[in-house]
């Protein structure tokens, strides 16, 4: 019995399993509210079509986070990590809509701080940090600076259509109808997804975030243009507001944004690989000779 005690203690304090358990519990709590709201608003079929109101990029990134954390070798848990895990557990169990994301961010920071550089766990930690941007921190920033951000969106739409503007409200061409740009239509929410997609591609390819920054800037510009174009269509054709803004229009726009992000970063990463591979091949040839 005495010989089994160290093994049992080691199993109970396994760092990899603790991280995965916290990730699962935290995500269940964090995603419960948006999934439930999406099903209540659109029904199960509509919620599935709209990926439960959460971008497909977020779902892909979360699956990659779980895979990266699971790929880390087993090791014992340090006392400081045990204390941090208890704090994370306390946060993710708070029955409030967004508090779980604070706990998951703390967990990601702990992973990045203690994992070896360029290890699977470190890459998973960085990716989990990036997931928190569109799911919580970007929304928090938008709520704090919504006046400025929404006014900038309205200014761009006003410049495209030549419509008069007051704050984030546009006066449409008929002179009677007004379009109010809400937070859910802001470009900032889509830009937070660009940050996530940038981190995801650079992390998986083992490329520094700085090397992928030009493609992040290009993608951000395209996403802003697409979002302004969508709002401009709604403003130009107010009779089709329900179609363009909700239901089918929202789903098409969401998938279009996802497709643009994935295509831009995949093209950028492939181009980076082509630029890096010839010198690498030459060095391998010299070593072989």
């Amino acid at each position: 019995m005495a010989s089994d005690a160290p093994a049992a203690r080691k199993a109970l304090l396994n760092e990899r399993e603790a991280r995965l358990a916290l990730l699962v519990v935290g995500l269940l709590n964090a995603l419960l509210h948006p999934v439930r709201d999406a099903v209540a608003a659109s029904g199960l079929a509509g919620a599935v079509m709209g990926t439960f109101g959460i971008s497909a990029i977020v779902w892909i990134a979360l699956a990659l986070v779980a895979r990266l954390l699971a790929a880390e070798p087993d090791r014992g848990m340090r006392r400081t990590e045990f204390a941090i895990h208890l704090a994370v557990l306390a946060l993710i169990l708070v029955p409030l809509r967004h508090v779980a994301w604070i706990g998951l961010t703390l967990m990601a920071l702990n992973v990045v701080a203690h994992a070896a550089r360029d290890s699977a766990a470190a890459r998973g930690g960085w990716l989990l940090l990036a997931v928190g941007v569109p799911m919580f921190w970007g929304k928090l920033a938008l709520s704090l600076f919504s006046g400025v951000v929404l006014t900038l969106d309205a200014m761009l739409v006003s410049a495209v259509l030549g419509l008069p503007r007051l704050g984030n409200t546009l006066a449409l061409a008929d002179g009677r109808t007004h379009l109010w740009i809400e937070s859910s239509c802001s470009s900032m929410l889509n830009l937070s997804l660009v940050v996530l997609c940038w981190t995801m591609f650079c992390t998986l390819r083992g490329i520094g975030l700085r090397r992928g920054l030009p493609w992040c800037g290009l993608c951000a510009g395209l996403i802003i243009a697409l979002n302004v174009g969508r709002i401009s269509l709604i403003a130009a054709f107010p009779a089709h507001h329900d179609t363009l803004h909700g239901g089918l229009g929202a789903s098409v726009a969401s998938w279009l944004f996802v497709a643009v992000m994935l295509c831009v970063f995949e093209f950028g990463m492939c181009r980076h690989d082509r630029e890096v591979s010839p010198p690498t091949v030459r060095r391998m040839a010299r070593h072989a000779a």
Side-chain angles (χ1 to χ4, degrees), residues 146-219:
S146 60
V148 175
V149 174
L150 296 178
T151 297
L152 290 174
D153 284 324
M155 289 175 62
L156 291 173
V157 177
S158 176
V160 171
L161 298 179
L163 297 174
R165 174 192 61 83
L166 179 61
N168 61 327
T169 303
L170 296 164
L172 302 190
D174 59 9
R176 301 186 306 272
T177 309
H178 292 78
L179 180 67
W180 180 47
I181 300 179
E182 297 180 335
S183 299
S184 59
C185 296
S186 170
S187 298
M188 187 170 183
L189 296 178
N190 292 311
L191 290 179
S192 63
L193 287 174
V194 172
V195 173
L196 171 58
C197 203
W198 167 43
T199 306
M200 181 171 65
F201 271 83
C202 291
T203 298
L204 292 179
R205 297 293 185 94
I207 300 171
L209 292 176
R210 186 181 301 177
R211 300 294 294 273
L213 190 57
W215 298 103
C216 182
L218 173 62
C219 189

Side-chain angles (χ1 to χ4, degrees), residues 23 27 58 61-62 64-66 68-69 88 100-114 120-139 192-200 203 209:
L23 179 68
L27 290 178
V58 172
L62 289 175
L64 292 172
V65 168
L68 288 169
L69 293 183
V88 170
W101 285 110
I102 300 177
L104 289 170
T105 299
L106 178 61
M107 171 188 163
L109 289 172
N110 177 53
V111 171
V112 171
H114 290 94
R123 288 183 286 143
W126 282 113
L127 193 52
L128 182 57
L129 278 175
V131 170
V133 175
M135 295 304 296
F136 176 67
W137 299 108
K139 295 177 181 178
S192 63
L193 287 174
V194 172
V195 173
L196 171 58
C197 203
W198 167 43
T199 306
M200 181 171 65
T203 298
L209 292 176

Side-chain angles (χ1 to χ4, degrees), residues 42-53:
S42 308
L44 182 59
V48 171
M49 181 179 177
T51 61
F52 297 100

